[in-house]
Amino acid sequence: MPARSSWKGFLRLSLVSIPVKAYTASSSGGGEISLNQLHADCNSRIKYQKVCPIHGEVTQDQIVMGYEYSKGQYVVIDTSELEKLRTEGDKAISIETFIQPEEIDPIYFTDKSYYLTPDGPAGQKSFALLQQAMIDQNVWATAQVVMHGKEQLVLVRPLERLLSMTTLYYHSQIKAPASFEDELGNPDIASEEMKLVNMLVTATAEKPFDHAQHRDLYTERLTKLIESKVEGKELVAAPSEEPTHVINLMDALKQSVAKVAAVRAPAAARKTAKKAPPAKKMAASARQRTPAKGKKKTG
């Protein structure tokens, strides 16, 4: 169970308010390796200090928030004053509408996702009812919520027994695909080329997709690099890939389809072999069905 939620409030649908907590969906660190900036002369770590031009370095508890209303003139805003500005509506994830999953393109997803859980036993039943209804009807929800000091557009969707909430970009924040139309041109596409591409897509498809099988290979190589340097071993560069030879599109498609088929064929053969009866058993069965030469059947 996560130690601390990042937000508390209500999930509101019409007159129904469900007390919920929000937890950041991404795990801390996520297996990534952070590199620090060092001074090249002495390898001391570079520090980023908060400095007042009059009093020098200051600590976090000496810092307040302020708005510059004119050059060099600020009005100080206390965090408690900001909290008083929040209405009951600001403390709720207010569902506006339910949509079909295909109605929203992933281009609008930001990198901020949260898990929603009921906040205490009182909200568990209503939470479960809403979550199951969204699964039964295969719908997601768009909602508005105030988080991190600003109003956010969010997408709420069922995920296993939880609800997942992802913040969305507003439409005005995304560049229109049509603005890149000049980059595309109007190439002539032969039917044979289209057929081969479709064959390649079908052959390469992973069914079903298993996210857990995909690894961060760069981080694994970086980890080995760090371990080698710590142990004083000679560094080994990553193996270089074979240079790609430029070939025409049709040849590239044909070779790609053949390559994928060759990779998949052994796996398919193994599956078929598992289903087929062993050769010895088949031979024995055949001998039992065939009378031995020189012997007559007795009636």
Side-chain angles (χ1 to χ4, degrees), residues 208-270:
F209 172 70
D210 185 358
H211 204 149
Q213 294 300 314
H214 295 263
R215 296 152 40 206
D216 184 353
L217 298 178
Y218 173 78
T219 298
E220 290 180 11
R221 292 195 295 268
L222 179 56
T223 300
K224 290 181 180 178
L225 168 66
I226 293 171
E227 291 173 349
S228 296
K229 293 184 77 69
V230 170
E231 296 172 4
K233 296 180 180 179
E234 182 179 351
L235 305 183
V236 179
S240 58
E241 297 182 0
E242 295 182 4
T244 302
H245 300 288
V246 179
I247 55 179
N248 66 55
L249 180 59
M250 284 295 290
D251 287 344
L253 290 172
K254 291 177 181 178
Q255 291 180 27
S256 296
V257 171
K259 182 179 180 180
V260 172
V263 171
R264 298 290 173 93
R270 286 194 295 271

Side-chain angles (χ1 to χ4, degrees), residues 28-258:
S28 179
E32 296 181 0
I33 295 177
S34 299
L35 300 179
N36 298 311
Q37 292 186 331
L38 308 176
H39 184 202
D41 291 345
C42 65
N43 286 343
S44 296
R45 184 171 175 176
I46 302 298
K47 294 182 178 180
Y48 293 90
Q49 299 171 320
K50 296 181 179 180
V51 178
C52 169
I54 298 175
H55 301 95
E57 185 178 356
V58 295
T59 58
Q60 185 61 41
D61 62 351
Q62 294 175 301
I63 300 174
V64 297
M65 306 296 290
Y67 174 77
E68 187 177 22
Y69 61 91
S70 64
K71 187 66 175 178
Q73 299 294 313
Y74 297 87
V75 57
V76 175
I77 306 292
D78 190 81
T79 53
S80 61
E81 294 175 312
L82 292 174
E83 187 63 27
K84 291 178 181 178
L85 296 177
R86 294 182 64 190
T87 65
E88 287 302 313
D90 294 335
K91 299 176 183 178
I93 304 165
S94 301
I95 294 177
E96 296 180 334
T97 185
F98 291 100
I99 64 172
Q100 296 299 312
E102 63 270 16
E103 288 186 65
I104 186 164
D105 193 278
I107 194 71
Y108 291 99
F109 294 7
T110 71
D111 61 349
K112 296 289 190 298
S113 289
Y114 305 85
Y115 291 137
L116 299 180
T117 68
D119 187 7
Q124 290 176 354
K125 183 175 181 178
S126 51
F127 183 93
L129 282 169
L130 175 61
Q131 197 264 0
Q132 188 60 50
M134 293 177 70
I135 292 176
D136 292 345
Q137 300 188 45
N138 189 32
V139 293
W140 295 352
T142 60
Q144 296 277 352
V145 62
V146 175
M147 293 185 74
H148 309 303
K150 61 180 180 179
E151 189 167 13
Q152 308 266 12
L153 176 64
V154 297
L155 180 74
V156 178
R157 57 193 177 94
L159 185 61
E160 297 185 11
R161 295 186 64 200
L162 303 176
L163 287 174
S164 169
M165 181 176 72
T166 301
T167 59
L168 301 174
Y169 291 112
Y170 287 98
H171 182 72
S172 60
Q173 294 176 303
I174 296 295
K175 296 176 182 177
S179 62
F180 299 92
E181 194 69 27
D182 293 341
E183 305 278 346
L184 306 178
N186 292 289
D188 294 327
I189 299 177
S191 59
E192 184 64 20
E193 293 172 334
M194 197 71 251
K195 179 181 177 181
L196 284 169
V197 169
N198 284 325
M199 289 175 61
L200 182 58
V201 170
T202 301
T204 311
E206 181 179 342
K207 299 177 183 179
F209 172 70
D210 185 358
H211 204 149
Q213 294 300 314
H214 295 263
R215 296 152 40 206
D216 184 353
L217 298 178
Y218 173 78
T219 298
E220 290 180 11
R221 292 195 295 268
L222 179 56
T223 300
K224 290 181 180 178
L225 168 66
I226 293 171
E227 291 173 349
S228 296
K229 293 184 77 69
V230 170
E231 296 172 4
K233 296 180 180 179
E234 182 179 351
L235 305 183
V236 179
S240 58
E241 297 182 0
E242 295 182 4
T244 302
H245 300 288
V246 179
I247 55 179
N248 66 55
L249 180 59
M250 284 295 290
D251 287 344
L253 290 172
K254 291 177 181 178
Q255 291 180 27
S256 296
V257 171

